[in-house]
């Protein structure tokens, strides 16, 4: 008898997509996620994957799989040949740990029609056998405390718990997006949510050394590492924004500097997206959270680029965003106090209802194209 992991993926999620493309992408991502573990073997069976892994790495594998998008649920199962006597023995064995009154139900599923008993017969026979062999068990078919699942396929798989996965789509099956990753709370969550819909993430971070410290840069690298458990490998561009900010401060109306900065960030991210064949930009903006995120301000930033800007947090409150960042473990790193390039030069009275025409006039006061090229040429690229 073997201990295996049964992986279920969402049939419903397959609607708009080519099924085998989805399954192959998910298999590839699972392989990548379990790469460092011993004895990993993947098997594709109908509607499920069966994963074998060395016993010492079993729990680690369960943890990792719960972070792979596209997986709906997983179970730790016993696998053995389709033999009814053995099914009964294993069932008793699995319920052995129950030593106080507990209600239960057997839920069998005979996918292999060659097996001599129907699902209903397996339920009745195994249920009766358990009652004979464990005095603490009582049947409750409506609301049992424990369910014993038996799947008879080319082998029998037996398990008693189902762990929820994250759902979503396998990363990569929706194409690529460029995430503007600041080091704050919001943008890692935005990247996580788009990866959940199958988007492969390329990240861009703007820093203003020496106004922002080396530690701010390390923080973004750390956030990228944490996100990668969910998103898979992220290519991170670190782009210097110092010259651009200095130019803006020198030449432009102070009220507009944040918006001009944001427009230029978008433009640089778009160039990177085109080079990487990404089809969208992703940002962590949430409507009206700050002056640069009012409807009027978003018109101004959107206007800077042709690619669509995905803002998965647009309708979320800060505490909802924080909940997710705690769940995915980026929160503690995000709240480290190192300066971000946007916070270094915040205008005292930022424009909340900007007029695009005025911003465009101000933007023409600087040699944007030259500055953008310079930043891209000197970008540091980190592949983790
Ligand atoms: P976050 O918590 O993600 O920093 P925020 O609420 O602080 O967001 P802003 O500082 O206005 O909001 O930034 C809005 C969005 O712009 C961020 O979510 C991020 O996508 C992008 N952004 C801001 N600063 C940077 C930066 N230094 N590098 C890359 N992207 C940035
Ligand atoms: Mg920020």
């Amino acid at each position: 008898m073997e201990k295996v992991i049964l992986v279920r993926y969402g049939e419903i999620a397959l609607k708009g997509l080519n099924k085998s493309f989805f399954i192959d992408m998910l298999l590839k991502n699972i392989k990548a996620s379990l790469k460092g573990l011993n004895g990993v073997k993947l098997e594709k069976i109908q509607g499920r994957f069966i994963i074998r892994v060395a016993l010492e790495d079993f729990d680690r594998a369960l943890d990792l799989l719960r972070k792979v998008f596209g997986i709906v649920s997983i179970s730790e199962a016993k696998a053995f040949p389709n033999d009814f006597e053995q099914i009964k023995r294993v069932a008793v064995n699995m319920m052995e740990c129950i030593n106080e009154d507990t209600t239960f139900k057997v839920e069998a599923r005979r996918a292999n029609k060659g097996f001599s008993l129907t699902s209903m017969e397996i339920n009745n026979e195994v249920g009766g056998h358990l009652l004979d062999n464990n005095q603490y068990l009582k049947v409750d078919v409506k609301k049992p405390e424990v369910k014993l699942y038996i799947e008879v396929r080319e082998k029998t798989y037996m398990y008693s718990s189902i762990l929820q996965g994250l759902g979503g789509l396998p990363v990569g099956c929706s194409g690529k997006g460029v995430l503007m990753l600041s080091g704050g709370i919001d943008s890692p969550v935005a990247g996580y949510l788009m990866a959940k819909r199958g988007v492969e993430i390329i990240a861009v971070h703007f820093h203003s050394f020496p106004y922002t410290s080396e530690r701010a840069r390390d923080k973004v690298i750390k956030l990228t590492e944490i996100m990668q458990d969910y998103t898979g490998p992220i290519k991170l561009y670190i782009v210097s924004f110092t010259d651009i900010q200095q130019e803006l401060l020198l030449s432009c109306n102070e009220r507009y500097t944040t918006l001009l900065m944001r427009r230029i960030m978008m433009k640089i991210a778009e160039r990177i997206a085109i080079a990487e064949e990404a089809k969208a930009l992703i940002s962590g903006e949430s409507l009206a959270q700050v002056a640069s995120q009012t409807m009027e301000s978003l018109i101004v930033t959107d206007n800077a680029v042709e690619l669509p800007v995905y803002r998965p947090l647009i309708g979320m409150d800060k505490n909802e965003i924080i909940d997710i960042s705690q769940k995915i473990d980026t929160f503690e790193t995000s709240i480290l106090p190192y300066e971000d390039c946007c916070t270094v030069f915040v205008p005292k009275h930022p424009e909340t209802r900007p007029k695009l025409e005025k911003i465009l006039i101000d933007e023409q006061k600087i040699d944007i194209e030259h500055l953008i090229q310079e930043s891209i040429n000197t970008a540091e690229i980190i592949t983790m």
Side-chain angles (χ1 to χ4, degrees):
M1 191 165 50
E2 283 183 297
K3 195 161 132 175
V4 300
I5 302 171
L6 217 111
V7 171
R8 301 174 198 83
Y9 44 82
E11 297 284 346
I12 306 158
L14 301 182
K15 259 191 187 163
L17 293 163
N18 176 317
K19 189 166 169 174
S20 66
F21 174 64
F22 172 101
I23 291 174
D24 291 345
M25 192 67 87
L26 182 54
L27 259 179
K28 183 173 142 240
N29 294 352
I30 290 176
K31 260 186 213 155
S33 151
L34 302 180
K35 199 173 64 191
L37 308 190
N38 292 312
V40 177
K41 285 202 195 77
L42 301 183
E43 186 189 346
K44 209 159 46 166
I45 64 170
Q46 207 198 1
R48 304 214 185 318
F49 301 136
I50 304 295
I51 300 181
R52 294 172 171 78
V53 58
L55 276 186
E56 73 268 18
D57 283 337
F58 208 86
D59 289 343
R60 176 93 184 108
L62 291 175
D63 283 348
L64 288 168
L65 289 168
R66 294 189 77 184
K67 294 181 173 178
V68 175
F69 290 125
I71 293 179
V72 168
S73 65
I74 56 179
S75 290
E76 186 180 324
K78 301 258 197 299
F80 49 92
N82 296 338
D83 169 65
F84 194 57
E85 287 310 310
Q86 189 167 3
I87 289 178
K88 288 196 289 191
R89 268 201 311 278
V90 177
V92 172
N93 192 272
M94 279 186 70
M95 298 297 230
E96 225 167 37
C97 53
I98 292 175
N99 52 16
E100 54 188 70
D101 286 350
T102 303
T103 56
F104 83 106
K105 170 189 184 180
V106 178
E107 219 166 274
R109 185 165 155 200
R110 182 188 61 159
N112 180 345
K113 300 296 174 221
F115 192 70
S116 55
L117 301 174
T118 64
S119 303
M120 196 60 101
E121 286 165 345
I122 302 172
N123 287 341
N124 293 336
E125 295 277 331
V126 176
H129 188 68
L130 281 168
L131 289 175
D132 292 344
N133 284 276
N134 188 327
Q135 57 176 321
Y136 301 106
L137 290 174
K138 306 242 166 344
V139 173
D140 180 349
V141 288
K142 289 219 176 76
K143 259 190 137 190
E145 292 164 278
V146 174
K147 282 189 189 174
L148 184 69
Y149 299 90
I150 304 174
E151 293 188 16
V152 182
R153 296 168 177 272
E154 74 300 343
K155 279 187 177 168
T156 298
Y157 300 95
M158 196 181 293
Y159 52 92
S160 58
S161 75
I162 299 178
L163 301 172
Q164 272 332 102
L166 290 173
L169 301 173
V171 170
C173 73
S174 297
K176 297 185 203 172
V178 170
L179 169 68
M180 312 200 358
L181 182 62
S182 67
I185 295 169
D186 304 335
S187 41
V189 174
Y192 166 86
L193 289 175
M194 293 323 302
K196 181 172 184 212
R197 295 307 301 164
V199 177
E200 179 184 335
I201 302 293
I202 292 155
V204 184
H205 175 68
F206 298 94
H207 74 115
S208 299
F209 194 76
Y211 301 103
T212 58
S213 68
E214 198 60 25
R215 287 197 295 184
R217 175 183 173 277
D218 294 345
K219 173 180 167 181
V220 168
I221 294 175
K222 175 81 188 145
L223 283 172
T224 309
E225 279 168 5
I226 300 171
M227 288 172 70
Q228 288 191 124
D229 277 357
Y230 299 93
T231 61
I234 294 178
K235 186 170 174 185
L236 170 65
Y237 284 74
I238 298 188
V239 176
S240 171
F241 214 60
T242 319
D243 292 348
I244 293 170
Q245 277 183 313
Q246 278 169 344
E247 267 297 310
L248 287 174
L249 286 176
L250 269 176
S251 317
C252 303
N253 185 334
E254 197 218 348
R255 283 171 73 85
Y256 300 151
T257 47
T258 305
L259 279 171
L260 287 168
M261 257 164 53
R262 304 208 40 74
R263 281 177 58 89
I264 300 175
M265 282 184 183
M266 296 271 187
K267 285 176 187 284
I268 294 175
E270 185 178 52
R271 302 281 173 99
I272 293 172
I274 291 164
E276 294 283 355
E277 297 182 334
K279 294 186 188 67
L281 308 182
I282 302 165
S283 99
E285 290 157 311
S286 151
L287 191 62
Q289 195 190 72
V290 287
S292 62
Q293 299 175 20
T294 61
M295 281 193 172
E296 289 81 355
S297 296
L298 294 179
I299 290 176
V300 171
T301 40
D302 269 345
N303 166 274
V305 290
E306 281 178 19
L307 281 181
V309 183
Y310 293 169
R311 299 182 172 93
L313 312 185
I314 198 73
M316 285 191 191
D317 291 345
K318 193 73 184 186
N319 52 6
E320 294 173 293
I321 300 168
I322 288 175
D323 281 350
I324 301 178
S325 82
Q326 283 172 330
K327 196 182 84 182
I328 65 175
D329 240 15
T330 49
F331 183 73
E332 294 299 327
T333 306
S334 287
I335 58 173
L336 293 173
Y338 315 127
E339 300 268 81
D340 173 62
C341 72
C342 287
T343 43
V344 177
F345 308 101
V346 191
K348 276 192 216 72
H349 303 288
E351 187 59 79
T352 56
R353 308 241 175 279
K355 292 257 177 329
L356 180 60
E357 314 82 71
K358 287 192 179 164
I359 306 261
L360 290 177
I361 292 170
D362 243 40
E363 197 172 81
Q364 278 157 18
K365 294 179 187 159
I366 56 174
D367 185 355
I368 276 204
E369 186 51 39
H370 172 74
L371 289 165
I372 289 177
Q373 263 319 320
E374 206 38 43
S375 288
I376 290 176
N377 292 344
T378 56
E380 176 191 6
I381 300 175
I382 301 179
T383 318
M384 280 176 262

